[in-house]
Amino acid sequence: MARALAVAGRDQSPAVVEVTVPNPGPGQIRVAVEAASVNGIDVATGAGAFWESEPHRFPVVLGRDFAGTVERVGPGVATIRPHDRVAGVITGTSMARGALADTIVFDARSVTTLPPGISEEQAAAAGLAAVTAKALVDALNLTEDDTVLVTGATGGVGAFAVQLARAVGATVYATARPGEPTEFVRGLGANETVDYTDGFAAPPGLTAVVHAAGDAATLAALLPAGGRMSSALGADAGAAGRKDITVTPVVPTATPETVGTILDSIAAGTLRVPITHTYTMSEAAQALADFGSHKLGKLVVDTRR
Ligand SMILES: NC(=O)c1ccc[n+]([C@@H]2O[C@H](COP(=O)([O-])OP(=O)(O)OC[C@H]3O[C@@H](n4cnc5c(N)ncnc54)[C@H](OP(=O)(O)O)[C@@H]3O)[C@@H](O)[C@H]2O)c1
């Protein structure tokens, strides 16, 4: 059995419960999870946002990213061994067995071995948010000649996008409310900050937008002709209401290579994981509640406690 933050049935609230854990089948591994993080999709799933659109296999365990130690490998697994430290990211909208659990059975080919010098907490917190941020920034093909507005910069995805855009030399404007949130995005390397609660004009020389929050059409209107926008919220040219800019809705995929690149940057100290609170497993439902209450960066659950 595993302790997991799960939705037991339709119209039920997420709670920490015991769920069964199968033995790893062919090509699978069983991982003793040490950390998992909270993402927007977990909050939405817990609130029943997908009841009508996605089949649910109950109990639906929440969580999209984890890191831990391999306990056992199934038949045919040659590349991963017991005691390896691994991280996994679940993309897509499958509503079944997620990562907010103290044990998970996962496809061996989909995990990434942790490089030395990185903690399970860091790897789990990077997870889906960092993979999405990388896809958003890559889609814009930024150079040092670009000025990019990163929206949602105070959140998980945006906090990584700010850093990745700065790493390629772009000038970064980051959205943040005044006070601590503004200090937070400055600490991530943002060149300038924008108080999104007060209406704002286009930053000078703006060429690109990372859309991780806010209204797509409002943001698109800030761009000159030929500008680029990438969206984590599924916005396309139609939603943006502009035919003279490029809008790319990003659907991230988490390959071991993508996750490995991110983990290597963290281990090398060039990408910071902005964890602002770590919860015990018993507090996991509280982590979900706090996610929607102006938290900064990433919330992590220590699944062993
Ligand atoms: N396509 C995918 O597969 C995928 C994957 C991951 C995430 N996402 C989506 O990407 C978005 C960001 O994810 P996340 O995990 O980073 O969420 P998050 O941690 O909640 O971050 C969102 C941030 O946006 C800020 N914000 C709210 N309204 C804003 C506005 N109008 N302008 C600028 N900032 C605003 C919030 O700060 P305040 O405290 O000021 O409210 C919050 O810090 C979510 O919509 C999520 O569903 C998509």
Side-chain angles (χ1 to χ4, degrees), residues 57-114:
R57 186 154 59 81
F58 295 111
V60 172
V61 176
L62 304 180
R64 298 278 150 178
D65 31 38
F66 67 88
T69 305
V70 177
E71 278 183 346
R72 200 165 162 177
V73 304
V77 175
T79 50
I80 303 278
R81 287 178 301 193
H83 308 300
D84 283 355
R85 296 168 70 228
V86 295
V89 178
I90 303 166
T91 51
T93 52
S94 149
M95 298 291 148
R97 289 305 172 96
L100 275 159
D102 63 16
T103 311
I104 190 170
V105 171
F106 212 70
D107 177 5
R109 288 166 309 175
S110 301
V111 294
T112 307
T113 306
L114 296 197

Side-chain angles (χ1 to χ4, degrees), residues 38-44 90-93 128-133 136 150-160 174-177 181 184 194-197 200 211-215 219 231-234 249-253 291-299:
V38 181
N39 290 282
I41 191 167
D42 304 316
V43 180
I90 303 166
T91 51
T93 52
L128 179 62
V131 166
T132 305
L136 288 165
V150 177
T151 65
T154 40
V157 173
F160 287 110
T175 57
R177 287 174 293 111
F184 175 80
V194 172
D195 177 6
Y196 77 86
T197 62
F200 54 92
H211 178 216
D215 176 62
L219 296 168
S231 176
L233 281 73
V250 157
V251 181
T253 49
F291 189 89
S293 310
H294 299 310
K295 56 86 189 147
L296 295 171
K298 288 296 305 182
L299 305 182

Side-chain angles (χ1 to χ4, degrees), residues 3-246:
R3 276 177 90 208
L5 181 66
V7 179
R10 189 172 169 128
D11 295 328
Q12 302 221 16
S13 299
V16 177
V17 294
E18 298 269 320
V19 298
T20 54
V21 183
N23 281 324
Q28 293 183 321
I29 55 176
R30 192 171 75 202
V31 179
V33 177
E34 285 170 41
S37 87
V38 181
N39 290 282
I41 191 167
D42 304 316
V43 180
T45 304
F50 301 105
W51 289 144
E52 305 301 339
S53 60
E54 302 291 336
H56 288 54
R57 186 154 59 81
F58 295 111
V60 172
V61 176
L62 304 180
R64 298 278 150 178
D65 31 38
F66 67 88
T69 305
V70 177
E71 278 183 346
R72 200 165 162 177
V73 304
V77 175
T79 50
I80 303 278
R81 287 178 301 193
H83 308 300
D84 283 355
R85 296 168 70 228
V86 295
V89 178
I90 303 166
T91 51
T93 52
S94 149
M95 298 291 148
R97 289 305 172 96
L100 275 159
D102 63 16
T103 311
I104 190 170
V105 171
F106 212 70
D107 177 5
R109 288 166 309 175
S110 301
V111 294
T112 307
T113 306
L114 296 197
I118 180 169
S119 70
E120 279 75 6
E121 269 201 355
Q122 288 174 306
L128 179 62
V131 166
T132 305
K134 181 166 166 35
L136 288 165
V137 170
D138 286 354
L140 295 174
N141 292 314
L142 296 173
T143 71
E144 56 195 16
D145 295 330
D146 280 301
T147 295
V148 60
L149 172 67
V150 177
T151 65
T154 40
V157 173
F160 287 110
V162 166
Q163 298 180 73
L164 295 170
R166 285 289 291 135
V168 294
T171 301
V172 174
Y173 282 70
T175 57
R177 287 174 293 111
E180 197 186 345
T182 293
E183 295 310 310
F184 175 80
V185 295
R186 281 222 181 265
L188 297 169
N191 300 84
E192 302 289 342
T193 61
V194 172
D195 177 6
Y196 77 86
T197 62
D198 198 21
F200 54 92
L206 185 72
T207 55
V209 172
V210 169
H211 178 216
D215 176 62
T218 306
L219 296 168
L222 302 174
L223 281 165
R228 297 103 76 200
M229 181 158 97
S230 57
S231 176
L233 281 73
D236 56 13
R242 291 277 302 267
K243 291 197 170 120
D244 58 346
I245 63 171
T246 306

